[in-house]
Amino acid sequence: MLYITVITFLLYTCFIAWYSWHKTKSVDLNSSDGYFLGGRSLTGIVIAGSLLLTNLSTEQMVGLNGQSYGSSMVVMAWEVTSPIALIFMAFVFLPRYLKAGITTIPDFLEQRYDMRTRQIISILFLLGYAMAYLPTVLYSGALVLDTIFSLSSIFGFGDYGMVLVVSLVIGVVGILYVVLGGLRACALSDTMNGVGLIVGGLLITILGLVALGGGDLVDGVNTLLQKEPEKLNSIGDSSSPVPFVTIFFGLLFNNLFYWCTNQAIVQRTLGAKNLKEGQKGVLYAGMFKIFGAFYLVIPGIIAYHLFNNSLSNADMAYPSLVIEVLPTLLSGFFAAVLFGAILSSFNGALNSSLTLFTLDIYKPLFKPQATEKQLVKAGRIFAIALGLVSVAIAPLILFAPSGLYYYLQEMFGFYNVPIIAAVVVGFFTKRVPAMAPKIALCVHIVLYALSKYFLGEINFLYILSVLFPVCVFVMLIVGKFAPREEEFVLYNSGKVDLTPWKHARAFTVVMIVLMIAVYVLFSPLGIAA
């Protein structure tokens, strides 16, 4: 029956590729706006789908379900609290980004501080993508595809060889998307795969409950609720992967970085047709994130009960559940959707990386007079090189002791706080000088590295809770004693209409109420009693 899985996988994957190419033909891919930002033509639905798929990939489906398998619903905080950061994005960050007409986050940092700040932050982003994010996406994707298609058994690969070969295939396809289609092709394929991923993810949860109940959905739900109900508790203590108190501090700062300043995510919104469509896309994505726990966390707990906690590697919980419960006729389709999710995250980071390299490093340092066509060519060459480096690093995540998702977030911790601090201080002060973010960055990296050495047993979210105010304080002190000569005024580029979405505030209130309701549901006040 494997051939049925392969045929359905290929049919769906090829259809998405053709559709993305067909819809991209009208965009001028030889201009930087057309190639890097999709011609600033993205609508709310496309932005929301692209945000979700750039974020929701196998590193989350495998990683978060792996964490819930090994702990409990506390890890849903990574998903369910994301709307808070997206609300900040819609009302605070995005209006300023679109007003300035920036192409990258470091582009704003140059406007606010100087070119050197822009280049330093760009290099940090590129190192983070190359060393952590892209390899993690490839590694998690390799785990899933190997489990579905039994590649290790068919070809006789060991774990290292399997991850390397599958990562290479994913990397080559992802590079082709980015090199040939730019941001718009990536965003369109994201939107199509987004529907399939959410439907398929919820289907795995339902089928998992049916399997847990011996063929009866109601019995499966009862088993989930009654067998170790503490697994359904989202309120974590100090020893849990996400202590509840960090939701309002370290996790919030981490999410603000990810959703408001992470180039791979923010680039989707920078391609918005106008502020109204940008806010729609951001808030729609926030609404979907509230319910992400039902297909990104609960399946891990179902796997815990279904396999009687017998898996030696928690990151195998989700792939094992997929194979256990999904009918053969649907396995190819879901594999194709997962493959699309893998490509989405990989493409998003790769597209952002080549944008950062081309506009923030290549043009100002190596070829200031480069034409639009030369910039696009340089970006394509860099994308190929970065993609191949990520493929080489991906198998090394096999040796990460805390699982792939925790590894990814800890690695982000080396540079996320000073970036969000630089942007926030840049928004709300006028005299903080260019040296301030550089000093704060150095202070943060030193303190974070020391915390890993001397306080390694303390959850890194506690560390981020302290380091964000430290970075802000350092920048304000520098601004107090060495202020810039002229006040900063945010430039109005006039590139897009800045009229806000009239329903944004009402939509936000509904979203916050639903977020609180989900937390009450998965707590001792709800089903975790």
Side-chain angles (χ1 to χ4, degrees):
M1 299 294 284
L2 182 61
Y3 71 93
I4 296 177
T5 301
V6 173
I7 290 172
T8 53
F9 170 81
L10 291 175
L11 285 174
Y12 185 81
T13 301
C14 291
F15 169 74
I16 294 296
W18 171 83
Y19 179 82
S20 301
W21 168 81
H22 179 71
K23 290 294 185 178
T24 308
K25 290 191 297 182
S26 61
V27 177
D28 179 12
L29 298 179
N30 288 316
S31 71
S32 56
D33 262 11
Y35 186 69
F36 299 127
L37 294 180
R40 295 189 189 271
S41 62
L42 303 183
T43 60
I45 294 295
V46 173
I47 291 170
S50 189
L51 284 174
L52 286 171
L53 260 290
T54 300
N55 168 244
L56 295 180
S57 186
T58 47
E59 89 278 356
Q60 278 201 311
M61 302 194 85
V62 172
L64 276 177
N65 280 304
Q67 280 205 314
S68 67
Y69 176 92
S71 58
S72 66
M73 286 296 292
V74 294
V75 299
M76 83 175 195
W78 293 107
E79 281 295 298
V80 181
T81 65
S82 293
I84 301 174
L86 286 162
I87 290 168
F88 277 100
M89 179 62 180
F91 291 102
V92 179
F93 291 80
L94 186 59
R96 290 170 171 83
Y97 290 156
L98 294 182
K99 179 179 180 180
I102 59 173
T103 306
T104 68
I105 299 304
D107 189 12
F108 166 75
L109 294 176
E110 181 188 6
Q111 290 186 21
R112 176 58 182 85
Y113 300 108
D114 62 6
M115 172 62 80
R116 191 64 63 200
T117 303
R118 170 180 181 167
Q119 291 167 344
I120 290 171
I121 298 303
S122 293
I123 291 170
L124 285 175
F125 272 126
L126 292 175
L127 287 173
Y129 292 149
M131 301 299 293
Y133 188 68
L134 288 171
T136 303
V137 169
L138 293 174
Y139 168 75
S140 59
L143 288 184
V144 171
L145 295 178
D146 175 56
T147 305
I148 292 175
F149 293 109
S150 303
L151 299 175
S152 296
S153 300
I154 294 172
F155 297 104
F157 292 134
D159 289 344
Y160 188 94
M162 178 275 296
V163 173
L164 182 62
V165 172
V166 179
S167 295
L168 180 60
V169 173
I170 298 170
V172 169
V173 176
I175 288 169
L176 288 174
Y177 255 99
V178 171
V179 168
L180 299 179
L183 178 65
R184 185 166 174 81
C186 297
L188 287 168
S189 65
D190 292 349
T191 305
M192 295 289 288
N193 282 312
V195 177
L197 183 69
I198 293 170
V199 172
L202 290 172
L203 181 62
I204 295 297
T205 302
I206 294 170
L207 293 176
L209 288 170
V210 171
L212 190 61
D216 187 281
L217 178 61
V218 175
D219 285 348
V221 172
N222 288 334
T223 301
L224 185 71
L225 295 178
Q226 296 170 14
K227 189 177 180 180
E228 298 187 45
E230 64 273 13
K231 292 284 286 184
L232 298 175
N233 186 12
S234 65
I235 311 299
D237 58 24
S238 59
S239 63
S240 72
V242 186
F244 186 73
V245 69
T246 64
I247 290 174
F248 308 100
F249 300 101
L251 182 58
L252 174 61
F253 303 148
N254 186 86
N255 283 343
L256 285 174
F257 159 77
Y258 185 85
W259 291 106
C260 303
T261 64
N262 182 2
Q263 182 64 30
I265 293 294
V266 173
Q267 187 161 341
R268 270 48 180 154
T269 63
L270 299 183
K273 190 175 181 180
N274 48 48
L275 177 59
K276 175 183 175 181
E277 293 299 320
Q279 287 182 324
K280 281 183 181 180
V282 168
L283 294 175
Y284 289 164
M287 183 65 78
F288 275 110
K289 295 297 289 180
I290 294 173
F291 304 102
F294 293 96
Y295 54 90
L296 289 173
V297 182
I298 287 180
I301 297 175
I302 294 172
Y304 174 87
H305 295 308
L306 193 62
F307 302 126
N308 295 312
N309 195 24
S310 62
L311 299 177
S312 58
N313 181 359
D315 285 336
M316 288 303 297
Y318 192 75
S320 300
L321 184 65
V322 170
I323 290 299
E324 180 72 20
V325 305
L326 199 64
T328 303
L329 288 175
L330 292 178
S331 59
F333 162 74
F334 193 59
V337 171
L338 287 172
F339 186 66
I342 298 162
L343 287 179
S344 173
S345 291
F346 185 81
N347 295 345
L350 202 59
N351 189 279
S352 299
S353 298
L354 68 90
T355 304
L356 290 170
F357 172 78
T358 305
L359 302 183
D360 297 347
I361 297 173
Y362 175 76
K363 182 177 180 180
L365 291 181
F366 300 107
K367 204 160 188 176
Q369 305 304 319
T371 64
E372 297 277 282
K373 192 171 183 179
Q374 288 173 327
L375 290 177
V376 171
K377 181 180 178 181
R380 285 170 168 159
I381 293 172
F382 180 77
I384 294 171
L386 183 63
L388 294 177
V389 168
S390 302
V391 168
I393 295 173
L396 301 178
I397 300 177
L398 281 164
F399 309 108
S402 302
L404 69 92
Y405 198 75
Y406 204 77
Y407 163 80
L408 177 63
Q409 299 302 331
E410 277 197 301
M411 290 297 287
F412 278 158
F414 275 99
Y415 63 92
N416 55 9
V417 161
I419 292 177
I420 188 67
V423 173
V424 170
V425 171
F427 282 162
F428 297 106
T429 67
K430 298 180 182 297
R431 291 284 189 179
V432 172
M435 74 172 74
K438 302 181 184 70
I439 295 173
L441 174 63
C442 293
V443 169
H444 172 83
I445 291 176
V446 169
L447 292 179
Y448 189 75
L450 289 174
S451 76
K452 305 313 294 178
Y453 185 78
F454 292 106
L455 304 172
E457 306 225 351
I458 295 180
N459 192 301
F460 79 101
L461 292 173
Y462 284 119
I463 305 299
L464 297 187
S465 300
V466 174
L467 289 183
F468 177 75
V470 167
C471 286
V472 171
F473 179 73
V474 167
M475 293 184 67
L476 294 178
I477 288 295
V478 174
K480 176 71 174 177
F481 291 101
R484 58 184 284 165
E485 293 182 2
E486 296 181 4
E487 289 190 353
F488 168 73
V489 178
L490 186 65
Y491 170 70
N492 189 347
S493 67
K495 288 189 176 181
V496 298
D497 179 22
L498 296 176
T499 303
W501 183 31
K502 64 180 180 180
H503 300 302
R505 295 184 184 277
F507 194 92
T508 297
V509 171
V510 173
M511 194 159 57
I512 291 173
V513 170
L514 287 173
M515 184 175 63
I516 294 172
V518 170
Y519 255 96
V520 171
L521 176 65
F522 293 104
S523 76
L525 297 176
I527 61 177

